Amino acid sequence: MPGPEQRQIIENVHRVLADDKDVDALLLTGSIGRDADDECSDVDFLLVAGEGRLDEVAQRWTANRGSAAPLVYDRAFDFGASRLFNQITNDWVRYDVVATTEASIGQRSQSTVKVLFDRTGVYERLPERLPLTEPSPATVRRLVPEFFRVLSMLPIVLGRSDFAVGASGSTLLRQMLIDAFQELVAVEDRGGAMYLRRLLPDDHYTVVAQVPSIEATEESVLAVHQYCAQHFTPVARSLCERTGVEWPTAFVAKVAERTEPIIGPWLTN
């Protein structure tokens, strides 16, 4: 349930938009829309403009958004079919407003939104639920070779004794391990970047939590590269099998040939 400050920004944004007749609906999305919020959650609004009225609605929100609350951070992004406003209030309430049209709402369902107002029945036309997420072939096709490409740079890091660069590589490997685990999660909406603890099953979260400390030292770089390679490889194989993406056998074997003498075996046949 939203806390007092979150409820206040919901009331304020509702008030600012309530009289704009070019706004068909105002919905809450994100963790609040899914009943998965806590006191740390931001507030995500979906503003559905009438057909052909997106530009005017976005311009009015641009002019009036300061009246919802004084802001210390304010950025706007134009994606053509939608506009995104990232905002943080003086009281440090984080909230986003996505302005779009019903035709461009995208992956939303009745179970992932809450209605603040709805003049034209937008909510009723949403599907009751969305299909559970499946691993994305495009994501797997990008993620798997990129992990092994970064891993393959380890001999260069050691040869140059550039452990600051090695720490950057360690960070990339850790993030790609997280990305791989996220692809396995079957839910309606995987949530945002700050939702990891609730998204991953305990065993996968434990693997992520126990990645060795990332420091700009040889010991740390070797430990992180070994740990991530050992845990990423079986997950990557599973993702390739599930999505029909070809496992890069020759490339992975070459990477193992370059790195296993340094960090020990991580590739199982």
Side-chain angles (χ1 to χ4, degrees):
M1 180 177 180
E5 293 178 336
Q6 295 161 318
R7 291 197 299 272
Q8 187 63 59
I9 199 64
I10 291 170
E11 292 175 9
N12 291 356
V13 171
H14 188 177
R15 170 181 51 78
V16 171
L17 292 169
D19 294 330
D20 191 332
K21 302 305 181 184
D22 289 330
V23 178
D24 287 348
L26 181 63
L27 310 175
L28 289 171
T29 62
S31 56
I32 295 177
R34 301 191 306 273
D35 283 324
D37 57 293
D38 57 25
E39 67 276 5
C40 297
S41 297
D42 63 354
V43 183
D44 296 292
F45 296 91
L46 180 63
L47 185 166
V48 184
E51 194 63 38
R53 308 304 296 172
L54 177 60
D55 288 342
E56 292 84 350
V57 167
Q59 289 169 6
R60 283 196 290 273
W61 176 250
T62 299
N64 297 329
R65 63 190 185 276
S67 62
L71 300 173
V72 295
Y73 179 85
D74 183 16
R75 292 193 69 189
F77 303 88
D78 186 343
F79 298 111
S82 64
R83 315 293 161 77
L84 169 63
F85 300 88
N86 293 140
Q87 290 133 155
I88 303 175
T89 73
N90 278 348
D91 296 326
W92 211 260
V93 178
R94 297 170 296 113
Y95 75 101
D96 295 341
V97 175
V98 173
T100 190
T101 61
E102 185 172 357
S104 301
I105 283 180
Q107 293 295 301
R108 308 287 181 186
S109 69
Q110 294 178 4
S111 63
T112 61
V113 304
K114 285 186 168 55
V115 176
L116 295 176
F117 66 78
D118 184 2
R119 298 189 176 98
T120 62
V122 171
Y123 176 84
E124 295 302 324
R125 290 188 289 276
L126 293 176
E128 185 176 346
R129 302 195 73 87
L130 293 172
L132 299 184
T133 53
E134 293 283 347
S136 161
T139 298
V140 173
R141 197 173 290 113
R142 170 191 58 79
L143 180 64
V144 172
E146 179 62 10
F147 179 94
F148 294 113
R149 185 191 70 82
V150 173
L151 180 64
S152 74
M153 301 297 177
L154 181 59
I156 299 173
V157 168
L158 297 179
R160 293 174 175 171
S161 297
D162 196 339
F163 301 117
V165 171
S168 297
S170 295
T171 301
L172 290 172
L173 295 180
R174 179 182 181 274
Q175 184 57 55
M176 286 187 278
L177 176 62
I178 293 172
D179 292 345
F181 280 142
Q182 288 179 310
E183 283 299 303
L184 293 175
V185 178
V187 291
E188 278 191 272
D189 183 350
R190 289 180 178 142
M194 302 292 287
Y195 201 68
L196 195 64
R197 183 65 187 90
R198 293 187 176 188
L199 179 67
L200 296 185
D202 288 344
D203 56 341
H204 289 172
Y205 188 84
T206 298
V207 169
V208 171
Q210 292 181 352
V211 172
S213 176
I214 296 176
E215 301 173 8
T217 65
E218 181 176 7
E219 180 182 11
S220 170
V221 169
L222 293 176
V224 175
H225 280 60
Q226 179 190 49
Y227 184 93
C228 289
Q230 288 176 335
H231 288 89
F232 180 87
T233 303
V235 178
R237 285 188 185 275
S238 175
L239 288 171
C240 285
E241 290 171 1
R242 289 182 57 178
T243 57
V245 172
E246 183 178 0
W247 177 254
T249 303
F251 179 52
V252 174
K254 279 292 185 183
V255 175
E257 183 180 303
R258 285 174 56 82
T259 59
E260 286 192 340
I262 303 170
I263 59 176
W266 53 263
L267 178 62
T268 56
N269 295 327

